[in-house]
Amino acid sequence: MKLENVRPMNFSGIPFALVVIAFPLIIILPRAMSEVWWPLWILGWLILSASWGTGVGIDGSLIVLKYVFGKLKIRIPFGEIEEITALSKLLARYFKWEIALFVICIIYAFFDLITMPRELLKGYYFGDIGLIIFGLFYIFAFILPFSRRILVGILAYLFILPILLYQKTGNITGDDISMFMVLAAILGFAILDIYGRDYILIRTKKDVYLLTCRSADNVIKTVLKVAQDV
């Protein structure tokens, strides 16, 4: 039985390990191996894509989470579930290692941006700036509920980053402004995606899993009904 419009997030277990492997391949190693950076970059994105959940189903007395383009299946027996609940926000206390990963990436990007020589191609600076933007955003998403005030605050810190670029290059061009507008648009879509969904926490003795869906209450009712009939 497939649960429609339900998708597992890559915040635990093997999927999160794939995220940890992908980040250095996408961000760090291409800088250290500038001559052969693109194979590592492509490999990193493939691994990151494989970490994304593709679907959730119920098979007998099991909840099945699908990853790696549907090839990896994590099976959770109903009997091992200690808690299944809807979340009003992504609680950082459940996903401390994920927060730590984003913090490490932001610290790396800030350090790299500050120590990078001046007057390089601006693409080098935008790589670090983009990492800072989305790293901070996902940290906010883990700890803050949705509101218009918070939305404005998340977008407002974008205006600090052109200052960092100006300190490195000494000028801001129309192309730079266009790039920041693109980043702002992508961030806006990410905000709508993160806060436009419901979240379901499944906690067992060993692991914690997070699912996204359109209606958490309906999905939980379906799972509990199936569990009672098994």
Side-chain angles (χ1 to χ4, degrees):
M1 173 184 177
K2 181 181 179 180
L3 297 177
E4 296 294 335
N5 300 312
V6 183
R7 182 171 59 87
M9 300 193 74
N10 52 358
F11 289 164
S12 56
I14 295 176
F16 182 65
L18 294 176
V19 174
V20 174
I21 294 171
F23 266 60
L25 292 175
I26 295 172
I27 299 167
I28 299 175
L29 290 185
R31 295 285 184 86
M33 304 173 66
S34 57
E35 297 298 325
V36 289
W37 66 271
W38 62 269
L40 297 174
W41 188 78
I42 293 174
L43 177 62
W45 277 109
L46 287 174
I47 293 174
L48 184 62
S49 299
S51 75
W52 295 336
T54 58
V56 178
I58 298 177
D59 183 9
S61 61
L62 304 171
I63 296 178
V64 182
L65 312 182
K66 298 180 180 180
Y67 296 91
V68 191
F69 312 110
K71 302 300 182 181
L72 172 65
K73 297 180 180 179
I74 296 177
R75 296 173 171 84
I76 309 172
F78 286 139
E80 293 184 5
I81 297 176
E82 295 185 340
E83 179 184 2
I84 178 168
T85 184
L87 298 181
S88 59
K89 58 181 177 180
L90 301 183
L91 299 178
R93 67 190 180 96
Y94 289 111
F95 303 103
K96 297 182 178 64
W97 288 109
E98 289 76 2
I99 290 290
L101 176 62
F102 286 117
V103 170
I104 290 171
C105 288
I106 291 171
I107 292 173
Y108 164 79
F110 265 118
F111 180 79
D112 189 56
L113 187 62
I114 292 172
T115 58
M116 194 179 298
R118 294 176 180 271
E119 299 181 357
L120 295 176
L121 293 175
K122 291 185 178 180
Y124 288 99
Y125 308 123
F126 272 113
D128 286 336
I129 289 172
L131 184 59
I132 293 168
I133 288 174
F134 288 96
L136 287 174
F137 162 68
Y138 278 103
I139 289 176
F140 293 153
F142 269 97
I143 61 178
L144 298 175
F146 178 77
S147 73
R148 290 183 178 179
R149 182 178 300 177
I150 290 172
L151 176 61
V152 172
I154 292 174
L155 291 174
Y157 78 80
L158 285 172
F159 294 99
I160 300 174
L161 299 173
I163 298 175
L164 295 176
L165 182 63
Y166 181 80
Q167 289 180 337
K168 284 294 183 180
T169 64
N171 69 320
I172 299 292
T173 66
D175 289 340
D176 299 332
I177 295 174
S178 298
M179 180 61 72
F180 277 108
M181 291 177 66
V182 170
L183 288 175
I186 295 174
L187 182 60
F189 283 117
I191 290 171
L192 291 176
D193 182 61
I194 289 290
Y195 287 108
R197 299 175 181 269
D198 286 352
Y199 294 87
I200 299 173
L201 178 80
I202 298 178
R203 183 169 61 85
T204 67
K205 290 182 179 180
K206 297 180 179 180
D207 293 299
V208 178
Y209 305 94
L210 191 67
L211 314 181
T212 68
C213 60
R214 291 182 179 177
S215 175
D217 291 339
N218 290 340
V219 173
I220 291 174
K221 288 179 182 178
T222 299
V223 172
L224 293 180
K225 183 179 179 180
V226 175
Q228 290 172 356
D229 294 339
V230 172

